[in-house]
Amino acid sequence: MASHFSKRVAENILPLSDAKELREAFKEWLYTGNLQDNENVDESCKLCGHPAIRYEFQIWNKVTGATLWAGSECIKKFAIAVRLADGTVLTGARAAETVDADRTKLEEVARQRGVANALSALRNRDVDCREMLTGIAKHYEKNGAMTPKQLSSVLWRLEVMQIPFRHSDFKLKIRKDKEKDQLLTMEQWKLAAMWPCLSSAQRAWCRERRDDCPA
């Protein structure tokens, strides 16, 4: 398996490199911060061939000028250096941290866009609840998260209106006592509906205080 994997990588990278040996070839390549979100997971890593790639990171060969779109894990796996905007070149752990930070930023932008698109579609379709939804959208823009009551209402209306969305895009906040009380006194079916939106810490907090949390 490992030799087949290395062969596939070599077939993709060596024709675009000056070096003829894989280890040396990777020294020619840099990640310079050019990245993109395909929104769907229908791309493949052009370096290793791994399917279902959503976030792509462009690497550039400083010798040949060739470029290649790869997944973030491949950039770290093959220790590809990172060149910052000021020309500084990072290697090792610092390079990996930069790649991870760029991916996190990209994921956050995608998450916020997913929520904005879902709320916009919902407000356009759900005329009777438009005023309430507008208020929730403004709250979300300001706080980056929803209260349990707000999130429950939004998820319910999205389901009723058959608007596609991803639970992972939505964030819940339970900092204030009022928000905590909303979560703890909420009907079990409502809690189950929003459970995929909760962080691991929020789930643990809830399990300590409720005995009917989803598995």
Side-chain angles (χ1 to χ4, degrees), residues 111-126:
R111 186 190 67 77
Q112 293 178 1
R113 184 172 60 247
V115 173
N117 290 343
L119 287 176
S120 177
L122 185 56
R123 280 183 290 173
N124 289 335
R125 190 175 301 181
D126 198 351

Side-chain angles (χ1 to χ4, degrees), residues 67-170:
T67 59
L68 197 68
W69 289 99
S72 59
E73 292 304 312
C74 263
I75 294 178
K76 295 187 294 181
K77 178 180 178 64
F78 297 109
I80 295 173
V82 173
R83 191 178 72 176
L84 304 180
D86 64 1
T88 302
V89 175
L90 305 178
T91 59
R94 292 184 65 194
E97 289 170 0
T98 300
V99 173
D100 285 339
D102 281 359
R103 182 185 174 103
T104 297
K105 292 176 184 176
L106 198 61
E107 290 173 336
E108 180 61 18
V109 170
R111 186 190 67 77
Q112 293 178 1
R113 184 172 60 247
V115 173
N117 290 343
L119 287 176
S120 177
L122 185 56
R123 280 183 290 173
N124 289 335
R125 190 175 301 181
D126 198 351
V127 179
D128 293 338
C129 296
R130 184 170 293 168
E131 184 176 350
M132 176 196 73
L133 293 168
T134 298
I136 292 176
K138 289 181 179 178
H139 180 276
Y140 184 84
E141 290 174 5
K142 179 180 179 180
N143 298 280
M146 296 179 188
T147 68
K149 185 177 180 180
Q150 289 174 335
L151 182 56
S152 178
S153 297
V154 168
L155 295 180
W156 170 51
R157 298 312 298 170
L158 286 170
E159 293 286 357
V160 169
M161 294 295 164
Q162 298 183 337
I163 295 174
F165 69 95
R166 292 178 305 183
H167 284 88
S168 58
D169 285 342
F170 291 84

